[in-house]
Amino acid sequence: MATDEEKGLDVQQVLPQKEQLITSSNETSIAQQTPAIKPRGVLAKLRVIEARLDTRLGIESDAIVRKRPEDKKDVSWTDELAMALLWASGTMNTSCFATGFLGWEFGLSLNQTILITIFASILGGVVTGYCATFGPAMGLRQMSVSRYSFGWWPNKMIAFLNCIQQIGWAAVSCITGGLALTAVSDGHVSLILGIVILAAIALLISFIGLNAILVYERYAWITFFVIFLIIFGETGKSADKSTPPSATGATQSGVILNLIAIVYGSSAAWCTTASDYYAHYRADVSRVKVFSMTAFGIAIPTSISMLAGCVAASALNNQPTWRNTYNNEGLGYLIQEMLYPRGFAKILLTVLVLSGINTNVISIYSASLSFQQLARPLALIPRFIWTLVSFACILALAVGGREQLNTYLQNFLSLLGYWCTSYGVILFEEHFIFRRGRFENYDLEAWNDPARLPLGVGAAVAFGLGVVSWCIGMNQTWFRAPLAKVIGSDGGDVANELTFLVTALGYLPARYLELKFVGR
């Protein structure tokens, strides 16, 4: 007898019969998309709990199920504006502020760092903006969208990588926010406790689901935008605009490439989650609008917070006291030292601590969706349970990596960009070359049916070639690749550039052969 996996059953809408009476009309219409099976034992009880939470508290329960055109509602211009504001809240935070210090630590001048930050942020935002356009047109979350390129089984690997990525992003955010909370409390709140507080608040918002996230993120960015403007004003007068870069020639080229990889990775990393927040928009919404709102909704606020870090870092050359505070006590105490008067600084730092919640909210929500797409049995487990699992993983990673913040940022953010480059290239070529740029050429009813989706051989081959490219071009503290070694004394990271080229060239013949011999 065929298993549920082989039948392609949609287990996401499975509820015991008695609980069907309290599900929303939206859930009922979605449940009719594919056959359903009935879970038993603990899973059945969990689904009963999920349905009750959805009915009484609005806890989202339809999760990864495709949003059909009839399930979507008209949205106002303010709802469309949320496409940009969502990312503004998620990127304008202490993590990006900390990343802004890397140019100074690499020995680059302030002017160089500013140009690199803006350019790389836009480049990464473009990748995410393109991926976001699939959400409204297909009504699917990002990991479901990529099934049409990666197929059923290879896409599970992509979903797993996305789980790791989102949890890692949230951990970085918890660490930087925890450092600020420790500083504002004059050491009375430990870093570990600060991490727990930030993760717990984000858990509460993500637990409710998309509606709560969109409402929170629509307004959260305003406060942090004002704070970063104040940081610009307080530190700009001490910024070092005259000191030349410490590195020259090939070595300077290498560190520039390293910084581009890090900043690009921080913006491109959102491409594996973008459609998660757009699946509820109508299919006829302008793709240009979706692309622009997302690309610049990421690039501009990311640049604002990172540039604040660039300016503050350069000021350390002219302010020995600030530099000593940063080296000995950390980022949180430095922010408190730079802002004046001290009482006002404490207030701002207290508010700034909350910026870490913005990133965590998005990361926890998207990670929970990716967990559900690792295997059908895992999709039986309600989304709110995966939210709790994501929360636990974030705590473990943040507490374990709290002592080496900058090293953690450099290594982690660079690695994010590598695989996101491959992901974006494969989706781009699949859509414009093999689907001829038309969503009519996608069998949207097949989104959850392995027998009707591509095998993913072409994507797996291209992605594998991309991995080889990472290993040839990356420049990390723990591994300097052969090609990276030849660029200056410190090496230069060319993994993204090499990955883009190799993936683009590799996917075309591999996908063509897949279509020729497999037919889907």
Side-chain angles (χ1 to χ4, degrees), residues 113-402:
T113 306
I114 289 174
L115 290 175
I116 292 169
T117 298
I118 295 174
F119 167 76
S121 295
I122 294 175
L123 192 61
V126 165
V127 175
T128 303
Y130 169 73
C131 293
T133 60
F134 288 86
M138 301 178 74
L140 293 171
R141 309 305 178 110
Q142 194 66 57
M143 288 297 100
S144 295
V145 167
S146 54
R147 287 176 177 177
Y148 289 87
S149 302
F150 287 87
W152 182 262
W153 295 106
N155 195 65
K156 295 181 184 297
M157 175 191 65
I158 299 300
F160 178 70
L161 286 174
N162 194 46
C163 291
I164 297 175
Q165 175 170 292
Q166 299 312 315
I167 289 171
W169 259 117
V172 171
S173 181
C174 284
I175 292 171
T176 52
L179 288 170
L181 189 58
T182 299
V184 78
S185 66
D186 294 325
H188 295 297
V189 175
S190 68
L191 177 55
I192 293 178
L193 180 57
I195 289 172
V196 172
I197 292 173
L198 290 173
I201 297 175
L203 170 67
L204 177 62
I205 299 173
S206 299
F207 187 87
I208 297 175
L210 185 59
N211 290 334
I213 292 173
L214 293 177
V215 171
Y216 172 79
E217 301 284 13
R218 183 180 298 179
Y219 303 105
W221 66 276
I222 300 174
T223 301
F224 307 113
F225 175 66
V226 172
I227 291 177
F228 281 117
L229 289 182
I230 293 173
I231 291 177
F232 275 116
E234 294 279 5
T235 62
K237 55 190 176 184
S238 300
D240 184 2
K241 300 180 286 292
S242 58
T243 300
S246 59
T248 58
T251 299
Q252 183 184 94
S253 299
V255 296
I256 288 175
L257 288 170
N258 294 336
L259 185 58
I260 289 175
I262 293 171
V263 178
Y264 162 82
S266 71
S267 294
W270 299 109
C271 76
T272 56
T273 66
S275 291
D276 293 351
Y277 306 95
Y278 296 158
H280 64 290
Y281 286 100
R282 289 173 56 92
D284 58 1
V285 65
S286 169
R287 294 192 73 197
V288 173
K289 180 184 295 185
V290 174
F291 171 81
S292 302
M293 299 282 272
T294 305
F296 292 102
I298 289 174
I300 294 175
T302 296
S303 296
I304 290 173
S305 48
M306 285 190 183
L307 291 179
C310 295
V311 173
S314 73
L316 301 185
N317 293 335
N318 297 327
Q319 295 286 348
T321 302
W322 292 1
R323 185 165 187 163
N324 183 65
T325 300
Y326 178 69
N327 291 333
N328 297 326
E329 300 182 77
L331 183 66
Y333 287 95
L334 173 64
I335 296 174
Q336 190 169 262
E337 180 77 23
M338 291 187 303
L339 302 180
Y340 182 85
R342 189 171 181 83
F344 179 61
K346 279 186 172 293
I347 294 174
L348 292 184
L349 189 57
T350 301
V351 177
L352 192 59
V353 166
L354 301 178
S355 69
I357 297 172
N358 303 341
T359 301
N360 291 359
V361 165
I362 296 175
S363 297
I364 292 176
Y365 179 74
S366 290
S368 67
L369 298 179
S370 292
F371 274 120
Q372 287 188 312
Q373 301 196 55
L374 293 177
R376 284 197 183 278
L378 299 183
L380 276 170
I381 301 174
R383 183 192 63 83
F384 75 88
I385 297 296
W386 288 118
T387 300
L388 297 174
V389 171
S390 301
F391 168 73
C393 293
I394 289 167
L395 284 185
L397 187 58
V399 171
R402 67 187 185 279

Side-chain angles (χ1 to χ4, degrees), residues 2-3 14 54 66 73 95-96 158 209 224 250 303 315 358 391 405 408 414 417 419-420 429 432 442 445 457 473 518:
T3 63
V14 179
D54 189 14
R66 180 187 164 222
K73 300 178 180 179
S95 297
C96 287
I158 299 300
F224 307 113
S303 296
N358 303 341
F391 168 73
L405 174 60
Y408 185 67
S414 294
W419 84 274
C420 288
E429 291 191 342
F432 283 103
Y442 291 83
E445 299 297 329
V457 175
V518 180

Side-chain angles (χ1 to χ4, degrees), residues 34-174:
T34 55
I37 60 174
K38 182 176 179 179
R40 301 175 181 177
V42 175
L43 288 178
K45 293 179 180 178
L46 289 175
R47 299 302 298 221
V48 170
I49 294 173
E50 183 182 43
R52 286 175 176 169
L53 289 173
D54 189 14
T55 302
R56 299 174 184 177
L57 302 177
I59 305 296
E60 184 183 11
S61 64
D62 53 28
I64 64 174
V65 176
R66 180 187 164 222
K67 305 296 184 293
R68 288 176 169 273
E70 58 268 25
D71 299 321
K72 299 181 180 183
K73 300 178 180 179
D74 291 332
V75 294
S76 64
W77 68 269
T78 56
D79 293 320
E80 293 183 343
L81 186 61
M83 287 188 282
L85 301 183
L86 166 72
W87 306 110
S89 294
T91 57
M92 203 175 298
N93 51 43
T94 50
S95 297
C96 287
F97 179 72
T99 305
F101 279 68
L102 296 179
W104 171 75
E105 294 188 355
F106 288 167
L108 297 174
S109 69
L110 178 59
N111 290 337
Q112 288 176 322
T113 306
I114 289 174
L115 290 175
I116 292 169
T117 298
I118 295 174
F119 167 76
S121 295
I122 294 175
L123 192 61
V126 165
V127 175
T128 303
Y130 169 73
C131 293
T133 60
F134 288 86
M138 301 178 74
L140 293 171
R141 309 305 178 110
Q142 194 66 57
M143 288 297 100
S144 295
V145 167
S146 54
R147 287 176 177 177
Y148 289 87
S149 302
F150 287 87
W152 182 262
W153 295 106
N155 195 65
K156 295 181 184 297
M157 175 191 65
I158 299 300
F160 178 70
L161 286 174
N162 194 46
C163 291
I164 297 175
Q165 175 170 292
Q166 299 312 315
I167 289 171
W169 259 117
V172 171
S173 181
C174 284

